[in-house]
Amino acid sequence: MKKTINIPIGSQHIALLEPVRFKFECENEKIVGVDSDVGFVHRGIEKACTTKFKYDAIGYVVARVCGLCAITHSMTYTASIEKLIGGEITQKAKYLRILLLELDRIHSHMLCLSHTCENAGFEAMFMRIMGDREDIMEIQELITGNRVQFDYISIGGVNRDIDAALAKKILSKLELVRQKVLGYMDEFTNNWSLSLKFKGVGILTLDDAYRFNAIGPLARASGVQADVRNEIDYLPYNEIGFKMQKHTEGDINARNLIRLNELLNSIEMCNNILEGLPEGEIFTKLRGKPNGESVVRFEAPRGELMYYVKANGSAMLERVRIKTPTFSSIPAFSHIFTGANYADAPAILASFDPCLSCTAK
Amino acid sequence: MLTSFFKALANLFKTPKTIDYPLTPIAKDEKYRGVIEYNQDECIYCLKCEKACPPGAILFVPVDNPPINEKNKKGLKYHYNPHLCIYCSECVRACPKPQEALWQSNKKGHIGIKDDKINDDWFELEELKK
Amino acid sequence: MMKKIETSIDTLKKDIKEFYDYKKWHFLTLNGVALEDDMLEIQWIFSEYEVKNKIVVYYAHIKYDELIPSIVEIIPSAIISQREIVDMFGVEVEGSQKGLYLDEDSQQKPLSGCSI
């Protein structure tokens, strides 16, 4: 007789917000095998980028890969095209790009933390964080003119400038959010249902993190020094006070703390940018058509995002390869699930912060 | 225990974060990205906006009775589809006469969820273009 | 900067095994690029931890009917990219079956040069 039973989670599940299906092979309460199906929302964007759109429009197409990290997608694509054309953008445009990237990270991490709370059964905290996240959304709307699809970055610079009055408004809102994040730190370290319950659950050891090429907060919670912001030089991250966050436990609690610390660091970076924003143009017209191939990486809220672009000097590109963070973390996810309790599965999954519309692009 | 009791009590008298939507309008910024507006008297018919638009939401199509404008030599008429538009304002940046001929307003476009076959007229225009 | 190293499907496993130190190199992904004359370029992309802008790409030119060796024994996380390549280009990779995005019995190969 077969000893194991198969229990699926997803593709529609009350504790799961994304269209993903995991098939767990369980022996009593323990998960012994995992199979995942991620292709529910595949839209063929890579194909559309090489057949339907010209290179200067694709920045807006790839922004629609994902609603949460839209700005990182258009940023990475734009950086790779700028590399191929060989143009240099102004310092001010670079700083404004970082500002938006970090705001994006703040609201994405807040979303993840709120879902972690929801999966722990802490509905009130979920509502609180989601309510506070609204402030960040408002800042983004003030800067870009839209709440979700920002369309802020274009090839050669950014589309909108910020003035002194707006910068002041943003600074005061960020200070409010910072106070609230310090409050969450307290809850996430002292509240029983958010800290002790999560300790020792869903562990990824340092060795396994290296072996399975874990990325983003998942890797940093296990102690890997992997942050793409530290490994690139086309945005001046070292000038604005970027600090890499690291933990060694590798459990859900460590991932939450990594995200909280990154929130504080991102808010600090945004403050530094707004206080020391240089004067200058926000847009430089870049002439020429892209030619050659380039690999550009960026740190999206969930980890490393990579674009491979191959162009042949015409307006249509030959190949656009998008490697999204959740996609390359799936082997690590499956590894963490093996050996965990089935009852912990939703909580573990929420701590990964999966983004399936990125994965099936 | 006592602090949580006081917190809960204080929460009872706090104003809610949500707003009573149809009665209280949502605060809208004046720089909100809304529909693109066009002035056909000022337009010079360079067709730069049509080329720049990523989703192709602006079309200049030849018609029988074109708008009277001395620059309009080919008898074209401007068409705009707010349902296709992504409000990125690439067209305004491409326009040689921004704010006069073409500009971005902060008005919300018509929501077409309940309309039937909303893009059929547009597809006919696209056929004309080919 | 990006460094491209040519390899072939016969020597791939040996090359990657010699090159790959799992604490130094981060495996990014497997990528395919459709070339002319029914050829396909397969790339194995790596980056180095904590070093700025260092990317190493191993590539091999193959025909669509050739079997691509699997590197899962060396890099376990390559499995997911290998399955994507199988779906998108309709090629065969050792030990990876179709069905990540497409149906298991689908005849389509969306990104290959000779799509149906």
Side-chain angles (χ1 to χ4, degrees), chain B residues 84-98:
Chain B
L84 215 55
C85 182
I86 58 168
Y87 311 111
C88 63
S89 74
E90 274 291 320
C91 50
V92 180
R93 278 191 292 281
C95 185
K97 287 170 87 178

Side-chain angles (χ1 to χ4, degrees), chain A residues 42 46-47 207 211-213 215 225 230-231 233 293 295 297 304 308 319 321 323 327 359 361, chain C residues 2 4 22 26-32 43 47 50 52-53 75-77 84 88 101 110-111:
Chain A
H42 194 266
E46 284 180 5
K47 179 82 176 171
D207 201 54
R211 210 173 283 285
F212 286 90
N213 284 303
I215 49 174
Q225 300 246 13
N230 198 24
E231 293 166 15
D233 59 1
E293 35 181 1
V295 174
R297 305 188 299 144
E304 165 195 64
Y308 168 87
R319 175 88 168 102
R321 166 85 164 107
K323 192 224 70 162
F327 176 77
T359 309
K361 63 264 163 202
Chain C
M2 196 166 99
K4 282 189 95 173
Y22 75 103
H26 173 68
F27 174 70
L28 280 165
T29 191
L30 203 70
N31 182 26
Q43 302 171 336
S47 74
E50 295 177 68
K52 289 213 191 289
N53 289 340
I75 308 164
S77 63
E84 193 186 14
M88 289 298 166
Y101 293 143
L111 290 177

Side-chain angles (χ1 to χ4, degrees), chain A residues 206-277:
Chain A
L206 178 62
D207 201 54
D208 284 340
Y210 275 119
R211 210 173 283 285
F212 286 90
N213 284 303
I215 49 174
L218 185 66
R220 292 196 285 280
S222 303
V224 183
Q225 300 246 13
D227 194 318
V228 185
R229 287 177 283 176
N230 198 24
E231 293 166 15
I232 53 170
D233 59 1
Y234 30 83
L235 284 187
Y237 264 109
N238 49 352
E239 289 169 23
I240 52 162
F242 163 69
K243 286 192 216 75
M244 193 189 292
Q245 310 297 331
K246 217 175 86 173
H247 258 262
T248 46
E249 285 86 10
D251 52 6
I252 300 180
N253 188 43
R255 275 169 231 149
N256 289 338
L257 291 178
I258 286 277
R259 290 206 173 88
L260 284 163
N261 284 321
E262 277 185 11
L263 280 179
L264 290 177
N265 187 223
S266 292
I267 292 173
E268 195 191 318
M269 279 196 269
C270 289
N271 284 339
N272 289 345
I273 291 169
L274 287 167
E275 277 160 11
L277 197 63

Side-chain angles (χ1 to χ4, degrees), chain A residues 144-249:
Chain A
T144 65
N146 209 349
R147 270 169 61 92
V148 177
Q149 284 298 345
F150 309 115
D151 296 338
Y152 187 68
I153 292 172
S154 51
I155 297 165
V158 294
N159 290 345
R160 282 175 177 229
D161 204 353
I162 53 175
D163 53 18
L166 182 57
K168 210 176 155 194
K169 204 168 173 182
I170 297 170
L171 278 174
S172 65
K173 280 202 180 202
L174 280 177
E175 180 54 33
L176 277 178
V177 175
R178 201 180 71 86
Q179 295 299 335
K180 281 168 180 164
V181 173
L182 289 175
Y184 307 154
M185 287 285 253
D186 184 43
E187 293 284 345
F188 273 90
T189 42
N190 296 328
N191 192 310
W192 187 83
S193 45
L194 292 180
S195 65
L196 268 178
K197 232 167 141 183
F198 282 154
K199 272 185 190 154
V201 177
I203 292 180
L204 181 70
T205 59
L206 178 62
D207 201 54
D208 284 340
Y210 275 119
R211 210 173 283 285
F212 286 90
N213 284 303
I215 49 174
L218 185 66
R220 292 196 285 280
S222 303
V224 183
Q225 300 246 13
D227 194 318
V228 185
R229 287 177 283 176
N230 198 24
E231 293 166 15
I232 53 170
D233 59 1
Y234 30 83
L235 284 187
Y237 264 109
N238 49 352
E239 289 169 23
I240 52 162
F242 163 69
K243 286 192 216 75
M244 193 189 292
Q245 310 297 331
K246 217 175 86 173
H247 258 262
T248 46
E249 285 86 10

